[in-house]
Amino acid sequence: MIPLTTPAVPADSAILAALAIPAVSDIPAAPAGPEIRKKIQKTKILQLSGLSVQFETSLGRVQAADNVSFEIFENETLALVGETGCGKSVVASAIMQLLPKNAKSKGNIEFGGRNLLDLGEEEMAGVRGAEIAIIFQNPSLSLNPVVTIGDQIAEMLQVHGKAGRSQSIEKAAGVLQRLGLGERSLLKMYPFQFSGGMNQRVMIASALMLSPRIIIADEPTKGLDSATAAGTVQEMKKMKDLSGASLLLITHDPALVESIADRVAVMYCGEVLEIGPCRDVFQKPLHPYTKALLDCLPERGLHPIPGASPSMTNPPQGCKFHPRCPMRCTKCSQSPLMKRMKRTEWMTQVELVERVERTTQAEREERTTQVEWVERATQVECVERMKTVDLGTPSGERWVKCWLY
Amino acid sequence: MSCKNSRRRNAGLSNMIGSTIRSMIGSMSESIGALSGSSKIGLALFVLFLIVAVFAGAVAPYDPWLRFSPFMPPGFAHPLGTNDLGNDILSELIFGTRVSLIVGFGAAFMATIIGSVVGLLSGYFRGLADELLMGLTDVFLMIPQIPLIIVLAAFLRPSFWMTALLMGCLWWTSTARVVRSRTLQVREMSYVESATSLGFSHAHIIFTDVLPNVLHVIMPKFLLAIASALIAEASISFLGLGDPTMKSWGMMINFAFTRGGFINGYWWWYLPPGLCITLFVLSVVLMGSSLEDREEESRVAQ
Amino acid sequence: MLAVLKAENVSKVRESGIFRKTRREIFQNITLELEEGKTVGLMGDSGSGKTTVARIMAGLEKPSAGRVLFQGRDIDSLHGKEFWDYKRSVQMVFQDPEGSLNPRKSIERSINEVLGLLRVPKREWQERTLDILHTVGLSEELLCRYPGQVSGGQNQRIALARVLLLEPRVMILDEPTSALDVSVQAHVLSLLRELQKKLGLGYLLVSHQPEVMRNMAHEVFVLKNGCLVESG
Ligand SMILES: Nc1ncnc2c1ncn2[C@@H]1O[C@H](COP(=O)(O)OP(=O)(O)O)[C@@H](O)[C@H]1O
Ligand code: SF4
Ligand SMILES: [Mg+2]
């Protein structure tokens, strides 16, 4: 369950332990100083390395995930951002081993000392829900319309043989109460009697029932209006704090990430291009794509990325972003490697990127062709002007996949 | 422009209908492509029956009215034997396919056209038109259909064309309802709204925007209507109220029944038409229900 | 200056249930003016009636009270050429990108039918089509495809192209980007901004994102409890 705080607690009290603000004295209070926090974050619980997923389709081979590597630490929120169709859900399905039949995956998904890709269906069933839970996009489609809310949440425990019916309903009531749906009569209601936001909480509750170590939320706010979406984000935050689980938040909306995630991984065309602490990435995006994606936000001026998203069946050679990249150079027709950035490195590089940005911003407004733009932004010219600026302490490792670095 | 095979179309009515037919063919071939295992068998059977019906003259060994010696059991010269008048049963069966299928198709065609028009109009215009047309549909739904057909058949002694027409006029209600409910959905789509706000005529919108998106619910209904028309025709004929000059499958069973085929155990006389009816209905139902399933799936997927 | 389109003291009441018993007032006495070259933003919670206001101004729905004026004249009193003029000048773009094009018509046919509607001679069709595709920043290879085969943003731009062929003066944009990714939203919104500069279009932009409003609108109204509140 939660090895960090409770070494050996029976299943049912583990839930309470996971949810309760410490009622039992031997559970330490929520991580106190940055010291402890850092320690917690250092415990890796899931490690993806070189995960590739291919689909065979009538239109050709789709490389939906290409050499994806990232890790999730204990008790953190990692956001996976990218445009629709870039392969975010495929990564989630690969972790849960819920890929459709026409998918071929290779690589390593290490969880609890095992490679999830090697596990059989039965072993995987023990992991799903109990250790890694997933919350799907559309609550009204994922909930069974003819089963009461209480039974639906309680089912999680019964299926895994952890408790009987009345016991699990008791637990369900407890979990719902933590999420602000305290009234017991709600347990007897059906999903259609709930609003979208309430159903979302029901989904969250059933994900929490088995106190999983990782919760994956795939586009939890898609299709919700802004008020409900904001509410859902709050639920997610609360959920994470209550359960002590790690959260893998999958979304296409960078604005959502900023308010909730600790770290963020940016995905484009099946590849992860940049990983880093959320604050750093948002303040100083290093990868040209990250920068371009953030510039699309209304609060950053609605600057569109030139060109169109590449097709997944026939992606560009080399760096997949290069046809649209304002900073590409000759090297960019070869694939860049994911590079770990040292703090000093990325401070100077940030300057470089900013520099390129300044000289080209005017042209971008005029919508000149990207080609000219790139000519002027040669690396050499920019490097000359590099200056060291202090960005404060970076709060974690930073990885970038780009020839600029 | 880069589209080589695309034809320019203007907004004329004839073109609209032309394009509707094209998309009808398109949706038909699309449907066939999507058929699954058991329904492929259905399709194969269906096509076989169609070929037999169309080329009856070429396929049948004899003229069905030609007389040989009566009550011959199946043999080399007459694979299915002969009946009381000495007609070759296989030839009767083959020409009967044509008759039965014409009745089935005719009735289904009528029913589908009336039902689609009623459904489209009431779904598209809603309001008063909807209430009137749906009221009419309810009235027709309340009519006990088979008894009415029997009564009318008894009084009018109708030709088999009349039977087909009559059934068509009674059986459009379920098509109308399905088409209406789908039309109600489609007209809420923003492409219909946008066509309205761009200023297209109602006719244009109904023919090019609504109908093509409703066709896929019409097709299975059409197939199932063929099956029920065929069964009804067989029942009427069996009761002796059919057109005696046209030997349909039902009529063959009726003859076998009234002229001692059953009592004397001449199985080759009554079994083949019965089997044909069963197989044909099966083939149609297999196809139709698989189309309906697919429609259901695509709706869930949306 | 006379507003191109004006909603004057418009109210809407929805009646539902058997015998139209349940009456729900959605909004009352709303006055909104649209001018060429200007964007008026309309915000509000979901269910507050933004879309209804938009549809009333586009003439797709009748108000329960009040009137909509086109160049100072009630749209209900327009006939013949004047009505056509109104129809042409006021166009609407809808929210869902997938639904705004008929899935069974190729993109080319969707565009051509509008040219047919405008009685453009056939020999000019090709030129006009390429022209309009260029305006919305699409390539002509999309023409043979069907709406299901192009992305959400492209769908929305094709819908825009169709509308632009009519050379409207004001456009009513009902959450044109809320179903799109941020990157695609940026594309579509900056295209809209550009078109406004080039063609002097007036917009009624319905959206629930304050940041979008800050970037796009000259004037923002908020629909709250059935009343219109101005907010800068
Ligand atoms: N079952 C499948 N068969 C073939 N291709 C698929 C399948 N599922 C997803 N894909 C393809 O994989 C890519 C990534 O899809 P997805 O992970 O759903 O994107 P995202 O979640 O980022 O929006 C897309 O190009 C999609 O077309
Ligand atoms: S590798 Fe080159 S093309 Fe790719 S993002 Fe970096 S600079 Fe741009
Ligand atoms: Mg997804």
Side-chain angles (χ1 to χ4, degrees):
Chain A
M1 309 283 98
I2 311 240
L4 184 77
T5 51
T6 50
V9 206
D12 43 354
S13 57
I15 295 155
L16 290 178
L19 294 169
I21 313 299
V24 199
S25 57
D26 61 354
I27 299 168
E35 210 71 329
I36 297 176
R37 199 180 148 78
K38 212 158 230 170
K39 228 189 212 157
I40 293 167
Q41 290 217 336
K42 280 287 177 258
T43 330
K44 237 182 244 179
I45 50 177
L46 182 82
Q47 166 88 54
L48 268 70
S49 25
L51 172 73
S52 295
V53 181
Q54 283 185 344
F55 290 104
E56 296 293 342
T57 68
S58 54
L59 292 174
R61 185 170 296 161
V62 175
Q63 185 82 43
D66 187 1
N67 214 347
V68 170
S69 309
F70 59 79
E71 63 273 288
I72 298 178
F73 295 109
E74 193 82 61
N75 200 19
E76 75 158 352
T77 301
L78 173 68
L80 190 58
V81 226
E83 292 165 82
T84 302
C86 73
K88 307 181 295 291
S89 300
V90 167
V91 169
S93 311
I95 296 174
M96 297 299 279
Q97 288 291 290
L98 291 171
L99 287 169
K101 285 203 184 63
N102 61 341
K104 260 197 299 196
S105 48
K106 64 172 201 267
N108 233 316
I109 304 178
E110 205 182 308
F111 177 75
R114 296 169 293 181
N115 181 2
L116 294 185
L117 290 181
D118 294 338
L119 291 192
E121 187 49 39
E122 256 166 57
E123 286 168 296
M124 207 50 223
V127 173
R128 281 187 211 126
E131 299 191 65
I132 307 178
I134 187 161
I135 301 171
F136 287 108
Q137 189 178 88
N138 194 333
S140 51
L141 280 185
S142 321
L143 290 173
N144 187 341
V146 296
V147 177
T148 60
I149 297 294
D151 278 335
Q152 233 165 118
I153 303 174
E155 199 184 22
M156 289 298 297
L157 276 184
Q158 293 168 43
V159 167
H160 285 266
K162 297 264 164 78
R165 180 161 186 273
S166 57
Q167 234 181 331
S168 9
I169 293 215
E170 229 20 69
K171 231 131 270 156
V175 177
L176 273 183
Q177 189 172 15
R178 299 272 164 201
L179 290 169
L181 295 176
E183 254 180 83
R184 292 202 65 99
S185 59
L186 292 177
L187 290 173
K188 294 240 157 56
M189 287 171 68
Y190 290 89
F192 62 85
Q193 294 167 308
F194 275 30
S195 70
M198 282 161 97
N199 274 331
Q200 192 76 56
R201 274 186 261 181
V202 172
M203 301 276 294
I204 293 175
S206 42
L208 287 181
M209 278 302 275
L210 289 161
S211 22
R213 299 177 61 193
I214 302 175
I215 299 169
I216 302 175
D218 192 356
E219 305 267 13
T221 59
K222 198 169 185 180
L224 301 178
D225 64 74
S226 56
T228 326
T232 304
V233 174
Q234 289 311 312
E235 295 314 327
M236 292 275 159
K237 245 185 208 164
K238 208 194 257 173
M239 166 185 86
K240 209 207 100 205
D241 294 344
L242 283 174
S243 65
S246 304
L247 176 62
L248 174 60
L249 176 72
I250 295 177
T251 176
H252 69 266
D253 187 1
L256 177 69
V257 171
E258 207 171 357
S259 59
I260 175 169
D262 301 318
R263 289 192 310 136
V264 57
V266 180
M267 221 175 147
Y268 180 76
C269 201
E271 285 183 313
V272 171
L273 297 183
E274 177 163 8
I275 304 182
C278 190
R279 188 172 55 99
D280 298 357
V281 173
F282 272 76
Q283 268 176 12
K284 301 288 166 195
L286 294 186
H287 198 282
Y289 173 69
T290 315
K291 175 95 178 87
L293 184 68
L294 293 177
D295 279 349
C296 288
L297 289 173
E299 53 268 40
R300 299 193 185 201
L302 281 174
H303 300 291
I305 309 175
S309 300
S311 86
M312 293 289 274
T313 44
N314 189 15
Q317 292 294 307
C319 170
K320 287 182 181 170
F321 187 56
H322 86 258
R324 310 169 75 183
C325 179
M327 280 170 241
R328 66 167 172 226
C329 53
T330 43
K331 259 195 289 184
C332 298
S333 47
Q334 300 154 36
S335 278
L337 290 173
M338 195 77 169
K339 191 180 170 217
R340 182 174 163 179
M341 303 291 295
K342 284 202 211 79
R343 187 187 148 202
T344 44
E345 270 174 337
W346 66 264
M347 283 194 299
T348 51
Q349 295 291 339
V350 160
E351 256 301 294
L352 174 143
V353 175
E354 279 187 341
R355 169 73 206 106
V356 176
E357 272 308 301
R358 259 200 307 279
T359 50
T360 53
Q361 192 68 36
E363 289 158 61
R364 190 203 281 234
E365 305 256 283
E366 285 165 28
R367 286 181 157 249
T368 47
T369 57
Q370 315 149 34
V371 187
E372 300 167 45
W373 195 17
V374 175
E375 302 298 327
R376 248 166 286 180
T378 51
Q379 245 175 320
V380 192
E381 185 196 331
C382 301
V383 172
E384 274 173 25
R385 308 265 210 124
M386 284 191 322
K387 270 187 230 117
T388 326
V389 279
D390 188 18
L391 291 170
T393 326
S395 23
E397 275 185 354
R398 193 99 181 244
W399 294 79
V400 183
K401 194 176 201 168
C402 171
W403 281 116
L404 278 181
Y405 302 100
Chain B
M1 244 156 291
S2 54
C3 276
K4 269 188 232 119
N5 53 358
S6 79
R7 274 156 247 133
R8 304 264 179 279
R9 299 172 184 112
N10 64 23
L13 191 67
S14 63
N15 263 3
M16 275 180 321
I17 293 170
S19 69
T20 303
I21 289 171
R22 259 195 296 282
S23 59
M24 206 181 291
I25 292 168
S27 97
M28 233 187 286
S29 55
E30 193 181 296
S31 308
I32 288 168
L35 288 175
S36 61
S38 64
S39 50
K40 283 221 173 87
I41 301 173
L43 178 69
L45 270 173
F46 186 76
V47 170
L48 187 74
F49 276 115
L50 271 186
I51 291 173
V52 168
V54 172
F55 300 106
V59 181
Y62 309 101
D63 181 330
W65 301 100
L66 212 62
R67 293 186 169 202
F68 303 92
S69 48
F71 301 126
M72 270 201 282
F76 190 70
H78 302 283
L80 291 177
T82 57
N83 65 8
D84 59 334
L85 298 177
N87 303 142
D88 177 58
I89 289 182
L90 179 63
S91 308
E92 266 194 327
L93 198 65
I94 287 170
F95 278 92
T97 308
R98 181 184 276 180
V99 178
S100 287
L101 256 57
I102 288 179
V103 175
F105 269 92
F109 214 69
M110 278 296 290
T112 305
I113 296 221
I114 300 176
S116 305
V117 169
V118 169
L120 275 173
L121 292 183
S122 66
Y124 182 78
F125 289 106
R126 292 188 289 199
L128 190 62
D130 188 21
E131 272 164 37
L132 286 179
L133 286 172
M134 281 301 115
L136 187 72
T137 311
D138 287 338
V139 170
F140 268 84
L141 262 181
M142 277 184 285
I143 298 176
Q145 295 170 347
I146 298 264
L148 180 71
I149 293 176
I150 290 171
V151 170
L152 284 179
F155 273 106
L156 303 174
R157 282 261 143 220
S159 70
F160 83 119
W161 287 110
M162 268 289 274
T163 317
L165 220 76
L166 210 64
M167 289 193 288
C169 291
L170 287 174
W171 274 346
W172 50 268
T173 48
S174 73
T175 310
R177 287 179 164 254
V178 171
V179 171
R180 171 178 173 270
S181 70
R182 178 72 193 150
T183 306
L184 282 175
Q185 283 173 8
V186 170
R187 70 153 293 149
E188 294 298 325
M189 302 296 292
S190 27
Y191 56 83
V192 174
E193 296 235 284
S194 102
T196 315
S197 78
L198 281 167
F200 285 105
S201 66
H202 291 310
H204 179 97
I205 296 173
I206 291 179
F207 274 108
T208 73
D209 288 322
V210 181
L211 184 53
N213 288 293
V214 174
L215 268 181
H216 55 122
V217 304
I218 298 181
M219 281 307 292
K221 278 283 160 206
F222 176 69
L223 288 174
L224 297 181
I226 297 177
S228 35
L230 204 97
I231 293 177
E233 193 274 341
S235 328
I236 293 167
S237 301
F238 180 74
L239 294 176
L241 299 168
D243 184 345
T245 62
M246 296 302 245
K247 287 193 210 167
S248 66
W249 291 336
M251 216 55 192
M252 285 174 69
I253 301 180
N254 168 259
F255 285 152
F257 187 67
T258 53
R259 299 185 204 154
F262 279 74
I263 301 168
N264 297 319
Y266 299 142
W267 53 268
W268 61 87
W269 194 357
Y270 58 82
L271 218 52
L275 217 60
C276 279
I277 293 174
T278 315
L279 281 180
F280 183 76
V281 169
L282 189 71
S283 81
V284 165
V285 170
L286 278 180
M287 285 195 304
S289 62
S290 109
L291 285 189
E292 261 181 351
D293 285 352
R294 198 168 62 99
E295 150 69 3
E296 201 68 29
E297 270 164 31
S298 68
R299 202 162 21 186
V300 169
Q302 279 167 15
Chain C
M1 199 180 115
L2 192 61
V4 179
L5 194 66
K6 180 176 182 185
E8 203 176 63
N9 296 324
V10 169
S11 308
K12 183 77 188 179
V13 177
R14 279 212 198 285
E15 292 163 331
S16 57
I18 333 168
F19 308 123
R20 314 246 140 84
K21 257 192 192 152
T22 352
R23 288 167 53 91
R24 201 164 68 86
E25 287 207 345
I26 300 181
F27 48 78
Q28 318 101 30
N29 286 333
I30 282 178
T31 301
L32 256 182
E33 287 188 11
L34 300 186
E35 282 166 32
E36 282 179 54
K38 270 213 166 160
T39 303
V40 173
L42 183 60
M43 297 184 33
D45 294 336
S46 61
S48 61
K50 304 182 297 275
T51 299
T52 314
V53 173
R55 289 170 53 90
I56 286 176
M57 293 199 75
L60 289 171
E61 221 169 291
K62 293 255 169 287
S64 313
R67 35 185 213 155
V68 180
L69 305 175
F70 175 64
Q71 295 179 322
R73 297 193 46 193
D74 193 333
I75 55 170
D76 282 335
S77 70
L78 298 176
H79 291 290
K81 190 175 168 318
E82 286 170 325
F83 182 72
W84 177 236
D85 213 30
Y86 156 70
K87 269 246 147 223
R88 248 185 109 137
S89 309
V90 180
Q91 285 297 327
M92 182 149 176
V93 174
F94 297 86
Q95 175 172 4
D96 52 331
E98 268 80 40
S100 44
L101 294 172
N102 184 341
R104 292 184 190 266
K105 284 178 186 164
S106 68
I107 308 297
E108 185 181 32
R109 192 171 157 210
S110 277
I111 290 177
N112 282 347
E113 71 177 3
V114 179
L115 291 169
L117 180 77
L118 292 170
R119 303 191 196 290
V120 174
K122 273 200 183 180
R123 65 197 131 74
E124 289 174 27
W125 282 16
Q126 181 162 348
E127 196 190 330
R128 288 285 290 272
T129 307
L130 291 183
D131 231 34
I132 205 73
L133 283 181
H134 181 74
T135 312
V136 297
L138 290 175
S139 79
E140 58 176 296
E141 71 194 55
L142 289 184
L143 284 175
C144 317
R145 300 213 210 156
Y146 284 81
Q149 299 164 334
V150 304
S151 70
Q154 286 170 332
N155 261 319
Q156 203 62 310
R157 274 186 272 181
I158 294 157
L160 213 55
R162 260 157 59 98
V163 163
L164 287 174
L165 281 174
L166 294 167
E167 294 165 6
R169 291 166 60 196
V170 297
M171 296 218 304
I172 292 160
L173 312 163
D174 185 10
E175 309 228 19
T177 57
S178 64
L180 304 174
D181 272 11
V182 277
S183 53
V184 186
Q185 162 171 301
H187 263 295
V188 173
L189 290 182
S190 63
L191 171 65
L192 283 170
R193 227 166 18 186
E194 218 172 274
L195 288 171
Q196 181 165 55
K197 247 188 252 163
K198 209 161 80 186
L199 307 171
L201 295 168
Y203 293 141
L204 173 66
L205 177 64
V206 178
S207 170
H208 57 240
Q209 287 172 273
E211 292 86 11
V212 169
M213 286 303 177
R214 215 163 295 141
N215 266 281
M216 299 285 299
H218 301 104
E219 215 182 343
V220 180
F221 293 92
V222 181
L223 204 51
K224 222 179 207 163
N225 305 326
C227 297
L228 209 55
V229 193
E230 188 160 3
S231 76

